[in-house]
Amino acid sequence: MDVLAFRGAYHGMTAGSLALMGDTAPREEVEVLGHVHHLPYPYEYRPPLGIGGEAEHRALAREVETALEDPLSGVEDPAAMVVEPVQGEGGSIPAPDEWLREMRRITREHDVPLVVDEIQAGVGRTGSMYAFEYAGIVPDAVCLSKAVGGGVPLSVLLYHERYDEWASGAHLGTFRGHQLGVAAGRGTLEYIVEHDLPAHAARVGERLTSCLDESADGRPELADVRGRGLMLGVEIVDAGQPANDDGSHPPDADLAMAIQRECFDRGLIVERGGREGATIRFLPPLIVSESEVDTIAERFEAGVAAALNG
Ligand SMILES: Cc1ncc(COP(=O)(O)O)c(C=O)c1O
């Protein structure tokens, strides 16, 4: 069974999802399932084709179309394309809307189900209920987890009824439809809708982004501030090293780690992800207030200053 996935992707640790991931290290000791083709994912700071901008997005879409149309591409009638609308562990990298629309067009034209992994980006985090909504597309299936249970383990697979081929009860599991999880999920969704947390995430996310932009201003080591809503990242580079052809500098994992440690010492937990773990990631709770965002930004600024001087 062939599946199309993307470089930089993170989908989880089961044998099937490991096969879809860009990071090969976690699957070294495990036999993974399926035959996956990893296609290049748009990445503005480090454009994989070296073109950059909208021309790069068009070329990336063409690459996917070629993989599906060239009889010698090595791709055999894929069962699905699986994509994150914003790559999370990959380094808070948003897919450009036009590119995601192209993925929808191409998969529809080639009758390949489009599965959007919203496990990290979904349920309000990016400033809309689902991150794919920015592109105005309708996927064939959507994976949800993390926020949807409000902290109680719950995962949900939404799919179009034309894929509902299993007989009722054919796919069993002890904890399927677990009452506590389902009740927590319902309560969480009601709260999120009632308090319009996606709009809140968009608003406070913009505030945090402009604070991060200020921290990055005049500091070439903080090379790229990116993301959507409250799913943000700052890529840390070694600005003293020569730039690549595309203008990007090599990732600086040591400096990113030093910033993370300095932030932690100031009571701020930030994640790291992306190439070599050099992207500092911000994923605050969706109910974070504006004044808490200011505190996050102040502590980050102080952590960066200490790491750069230390
Ligand atoms: C986009 C995405 N998909 C899937 C997963 C895997 O979820 P879980 O750890 O619940 O298996 C994650 C976890 O970080 C994720 O970010």
Side-chain angles (χ1 to χ4, degrees):
M1 176 193 70
D2 281 19
V3 180
L4 302 176
F6 291 92
R7 297 181 200 156
Y10 185 97
H11 296 293
M13 291 284 156
T14 61
S17 45
L18 274 176
L20 299 171
M21 304 231 302
D23 185 1
T24 54
R27 62 172 187 248
E28 268 164 20
E29 309 283 328
V30 194
E31 183 110 2
V32 299
L33 296 175
H35 188 212
V36 179
H37 300 270
H38 290 95
L39 298 158
Y41 186 87
Y43 187 175
E44 207 171 307
Y45 182 65
R46 300 182 188 282
L49 303 181
I51 302 168
E54 286 177 17
E56 165 102 7
H57 306 156
R58 280 194 297 276
L60 287 168
R62 189 180 155 81
E63 163 63 6
V64 175
E65 209 152 25
T66 305
L68 288 167
E69 289 176 1
D70 178 356
L72 300 185
S73 71
V75 178
E76 198 182 334
D77 199 14
M81 170 187 279
V82 184
V83 64
E84 288 165 272
V86 180
Q87 284 192 341
E89 301 307 307
S92 306
I93 306 177
D97 296 340
E98 187 50 42
W99 176 85
L100 200 52
R101 277 194 285 274
E102 279 293 271
M103 293 307 104
R104 177 65 286 188
R105 176 187 67 75
I106 294 166
T107 49
R108 184 173 288 125
E109 285 177 14
H110 292 82
D111 204 18
V112 176
L114 179 65
V115 180
V116 175
D117 182 342
E118 290 266 2
I119 285 173
Q120 191 167 136
V123 198
R125 173 149 302 279
T126 65
S128 65
M129 194 62 174
Y130 301 108
F132 67 74
E133 290 175 282
Y134 282 104
I137 62 161
V138 179
D140 296 301
V142 179
C143 313
L144 298 177
S145 182
K146 297 197 190 288
V148 74
V152 174
L154 175 69
S155 54
V156 179
L157 180 60
L158 310 169
Y159 51 86
H160 193 278
E161 61 187 354
R162 70 176 163 273
Y163 300 109
D164 194 12
E165 292 190 351
W166 265 324
S168 176
H171 196 250
L172 290 173
T174 305
F175 296 120
R176 302 293 156 85
H178 189 264
Q179 294 93 328
L180 180 61
V182 171
R186 183 183 173 139
T188 302
L189 290 173
E190 279 172 1
Y191 187 93
I192 286 174
V193 169
E194 198 178 310
H195 295 83
D196 201 2
L197 291 190
H200 176 75
R203 204 165 42 246
V204 293
E206 223 170 274
R207 189 180 181 101
L208 183 53
T209 305
S210 59
C211 295
L212 298 176
D213 280 335
E214 270 175 42
S215 284
D217 195 24
R219 287 190 177 122
E221 298 87 354
L222 275 57
D224 193 30
V225 176
R226 58 178 179 248
R228 260 180 169 159
L230 286 173
M231 190 169 176
L232 301 173
V234 181
E235 183 156 347
I236 310 297
V237 301
D238 186 347
Q241 296 286 324
N244 301 311
D245 288 349
D246 57 23
S248 67
H249 290 273
D252 191 339
D254 291 341
L255 180 57
M257 240 182 292
I259 294 172
Q260 185 184 39
R261 210 175 311 114
E262 293 290 350
C263 289
F264 188 76
D265 289 347
R266 288 164 177 77
L268 174 67
I269 296 174
V270 290
E271 217 209 307
R272 284 186 304 111
R275 269 65 180 182
E276 302 190 25
T279 298
I280 302 276
R281 304 194 56 225
F282 296 82
L283 296 149
L286 299 187
I287 51 168
V288 70
S289 67
E290 296 198 347
S291 73
E292 286 166 334
V293 158
D294 294 345
T295 305
I296 293 170
E298 280 160 26
R299 292 182 187 187
F300 177 67
E301 168 60 30
V304 169
L308 285 173
N309 296 329

